[in-house]
Amino acid sequence: MEINQDRLPLYEKLIEHTNKNPISLHVPGHKNGGIKTIKGHTIFGELMKLDQTEITGLDDLHAADGVIKEAQHLAAEWFGAKETFFLVNGSTVGNLAMILATCKEDDYVLVQRNCHKSIINGLELAGAKPIFLAPNYNKAVNRLVEPTIETVQYACKKYSKAKALILTYPDYFGHTYHLKDYITIAHQYDIPVLVDEAHGCHYSIPYFNKPSAISLGADMVVQSAHKMTPALTMSAFLHIGKGSRINEEEVKYYLQMLQSSSPSYLMMASLDIARHYLALYTYEKYKDVTKYIHQVKQLFQEIENWLVEISDDPLKIILKPNHTSTKLIAQLLEEEQLYPELITNQDILLIFGLEETVAISELEKRLDRIKQKLKRIKRAEQPHEQIQGHLLYQTQELVLSYKEMRTKQMTWVDLDASIGCVAAEAIIPYPPGIPIILKGERIHSIHIEQINYLQNNHITFQPYKHIKGLNVFKGE
């Protein structure tokens, strides 16, 4: 039976319900927007009317058999998945669920070392034994990228009983690689491939010529719909591939355990809308946005104080300040109400939408004012010497297993005194949320150099904004 992607089952049902002028004798407390103002301001306007709960006709995310089920089915058909689940706790909950559904205590898991912290948290919750695969270093952009194919081949052969291979595709900066080759190698050993595709939801649009992980044969994929498509923040998808390596009931079990028992209908409706938007995205829109982004890049390339790195993702532009600090450039951008996605010690990441959202003429005016300000700066800040982050990582296990860590005592030490100790907590620059030091990892001087370097460049961390010391395991 042909599926009509022009349907919006959940969103349309919410509109139908709202048009009946229902009286809310149920949660949420704003009563269909009846409580209207705070300090004279309307609270979200008509949006509140769509913020519903599991009443008759609106289905239940955790036992979907109506409009939510239909909306998820439409999403699965569009993305090419066996089954798709709506996530209301972000990609984080998807990463946790897919790890817990495939990995148990003491199971070996192969995982890309420069992964998001939610992957690390999932491994700890599962009690798995991660084998961290060293990422490759791309000298051209001075960043860590995916592990080499040889690293993955070696790891799959050595740990052939591993329960999963976990990869990131694309990375935060839109970098892609030949993921299909990695999937093929893992499947030769019957190892499921789990992919954190938080930044690749729009790759389902065929015109971008960037295949999505699910289309390449990955066994489970998580996508942050809100990052690159028109969905509310924290809205995400979890897709199960069409193979047979994943136990779908396990995935459902962990999703209902980890997700809120009061899921947001606004977020779920926005997922319905995002899928609909992607499915009906025309070639004309693609041509328009491609032309627009080309003009945007030309504007940025006219300014001498930075180099423009061209991402694999056409919607992303990376500025690499040239003899000017990222802090100063970011400050000038924000003075013109241009807010970057990410500011690191060496890069400024700008993300554009799937359609033109700021006129070229307006952007040109603001960039021209920035250009004039830069000319008046007599001595621009000089960036600090780059610490080579690729020296931090090797393919290795943790010094202590998560099971062993639960029995160990912790103690707080100053940063410099931590060298040689085993970390009892992760140290994470955020964003992008990739740990420099992992819980259970031996601390080396290069880690401390990197932390100090980033702090000197005004990069903040989690769990502490500024790192003066950390918890380590006693006697280790």
Side-chain angles (χ1 to χ4, degrees):
M1 185 176 98
E2 186 175 347
I3 295 177
N4 180 12
Q5 284 291 341
D6 198 23
R7 287 272 292 129
L8 280 163
L10 179 54
Y11 175 73
E12 290 168 354
K13 190 68 176 179
L14 286 169
I15 294 294
E16 177 188 321
H17 177 75
T18 297
N19 288 341
K20 294 176 182 177
N21 295 315
I23 295 173
S24 170
L25 303 177
H26 53 78
V27 300
H30 57 67
K31 301 301 177 185
N32 296 340
I35 297 176
K36 292 182 178 179
T37 62
I38 291 180
K39 293 187 175 180
H41 298 288
T42 300
I43 311 170
F44 301 120
E46 294 295 303
L47 201 60
M48 285 290 202
K49 294 181 180 180
L50 302 181
D51 185 34
Q52 294 294 325
T53 190
E54 295 90 344
I55 57 178
T56 302
L58 294 186
D59 208 358
D60 180 350
L61 177 64
H62 298 300
D65 64 356
V67 288
I68 294 176
K69 181 179 180 180
E70 183 183 354
Q72 291 184 146
H73 181 65
L74 283 165
E77 195 276 339
W78 167 250
F79 289 104
K82 182 193 295 184
E83 193 162 0
T84 291
F85 301 97
F86 285 179
L87 306 179
V88 295
N89 295 72
S91 282
T92 290
V93 79
N95 286 337
L96 297 178
M98 72 177 180
I99 291 170
L100 290 167
T102 52
C103 311
K104 308 303 178 189
E105 191 168 65
D106 293 332
D107 283 342
Y108 281 116
V109 181
L110 310 177
V111 56
Q112 180 175 337
R113 171 60 179 82
N114 53 331
C115 61
H116 189 264
K117 66 172 188 172
S118 59
I119 297 290
I120 306 299
N121 292 338
L123 293 169
E124 181 172 356
L125 288 173
K129 288 186 174 180
I131 308 300
F132 290 105
L133 308 181
N136 192 25
Y137 172 63
N138 186 327
K139 187 175 181 180
V141 297
N142 196 25
R143 281 199 302 272
L144 296 167
V145 289
E146 73 282 354
T148 65
I149 194 75
E150 292 79 14
T151 296
V152 172
Q153 176 78 65
Y154 171 81
C156 287
K157 183 177 181 180
K158 183 174 180 180
Y159 300 95
S160 60
K161 301 299 182 183
K163 297 300 182 182
L165 167 64
I166 305 175
L167 298 169
T168 303
Y169 169 96
D171 68 11
Y172 208 140
F173 296 90
H175 170 74
T176 58
Y177 55 96
H178 295 294
L179 178 62
K180 178 66 176 177
D181 296 341
Y182 291 67
I183 294 171
T184 299
I185 288 171
H187 285 176
Q188 288 172 355
Y189 296 89
D190 201 31
I191 298 174
V193 179
L194 317 181
V195 179
D196 178 355
E197 196 176 38
H199 286 265
C201 191
H202 59 309
Y203 286 1
S204 59
I205 298 174
Y207 315 122
F208 280 93
N209 198 28
K210 298 291 178 186
S212 65
I214 204 73
S215 72
L216 294 173
D219 298 284
M220 251 194 301
V221 176
V222 172
Q223 297 172 330
S224 287
H226 69 93
K227 283 186 167 64
M228 300 299 296
T229 65
L232 292 176
T233 297
M234 286 207 323
S235 305
F237 296 109
L238 188 154
H239 308 296
I240 296 179
K242 292 184 176 179
S244 58
R245 296 178 182 85
I246 302 300
N247 184 331
E248 295 169 43
E249 294 306 313
E250 285 281 289
V251 177
K252 292 176 184 177
Y253 171 76
Y254 282 108
L255 284 177
Q256 63 83 26
M257 177 186 288
L258 296 168
Q259 294 217 90
S260 171
S261 59
S262 301
S264 165
Y265 272 77
L266 288 175
M267 291 169 64
M268 291 188 288
S270 79
L271 287 169
D272 201 16
I273 290 168
R275 181 274 313 159
H276 179 270
Y277 179 86
L278 292 168
L280 272 67
Y281 193 85
T282 63
Y283 184 61
E284 286 68 29
K285 277 188 177 180
Y286 168 73
K287 287 194 297 183
D288 288 344
V289 78
T290 300
K291 179 181 177 181
Y292 171 70
I293 295 296
H294 177 71
Q295 292 175 311
V296 168
K297 288 176 181 175
Q298 285 184 318
L299 289 179
F300 279 98
Q301 287 170 335
E302 290 173 2
I303 298 179
E304 297 179 353
N305 295 74
W306 54 62
L307 299 175
V308 176
E309 178 188 329
I310 305 302
S311 171
D312 293 337
D313 187 335
L315 301 182
K316 293 187 174 183
I317 295 176
I318 301 116
L319 305 181
K320 303 182 87 66
N322 184 10
H323 303 297
T324 308
S325 73
T326 55
K327 179 188 175 184
L328 174 60
I329 296 298
Q331 178 185 327
L332 294 176
L333 287 169
E334 291 180 0
E335 285 175 2
E336 292 297 332
Q337 301 303 304
L338 299 172
Y339 289 89
E341 163 65 19
L342 172 68
I343 303 161
T344 74
N345 53 297
Q346 64 173 19
D347 298 316
I348 299 174
L349 174 61
L350 313 175
I351 300 179
F352 291 83
L354 286 159
E355 296 180 24
E356 177 181 336
T357 53
V358 55
I360 286 292
S361 58
E362 180 60 31
L363 184 60
E364 186 173 18
K365 289 177 186 176
R366 298 187 188 204
L367 287 177
D368 188 59
R369 288 196 289 266
I370 291 172
K371 188 189 302 185
Q372 298 310 313
K373 289 178 182 178
L374 284 167
K375 285 180 180 178
R376 293 195 294 269
I377 295 173
K378 294 181 180 179
R379 292 187 63 184
E381 288 186 56
Q382 296 295 315
H384 297 277
E385 182 182 355
Q386 171 66 28
I387 301 295
Q388 298 300 325
H390 64 287
L391 299 175
L392 297 176
Y393 307 128
Q394 300 176 7
T395 296
Q396 60 186 5
E397 297 183 47
L398 295 174
V399 175
L400 298 171
S401 70
Y402 291 120
K403 184 191 295 185
E404 290 171 322
M405 289 184 226
R406 289 196 291 269
T407 68
K408 298 288 183 180
Q409 288 187 318
M410 295 186 299
T411 185
W412 176 267
V413 297
D414 291 337
L415 199 56
D416 290 337
S418 69
I419 297 171
C421 299
V422 175
E425 60 183 334
I427 301 298
I428 308 167
Y430 203 91
I434 297 170
I436 286 181
I437 299 174
L438 294 171
K439 183 178 179 180
E441 188 172 46
R442 183 80 62 192
I443 302 167
H444 298 285
S445 60
I446 189 69
H447 291 116
I448 307 306
E449 289 177 35
Q450 184 76 350
I451 290 169
N452 287 330
Y453 168 72
L454 292 175
Q455 291 193 135
N456 288 337
N457 281 270
H458 312 284
I459 304 300
T460 58
F461 290 78
Q462 291 181 346
Y464 314 107
K465 189 171 183 180
H466 301 291
I467 308 298
K468 296 181 179 179
L470 71 159
N471 285 307
V472 299
F473 289 110
K474 284 185 176 181
E476 297 297 335

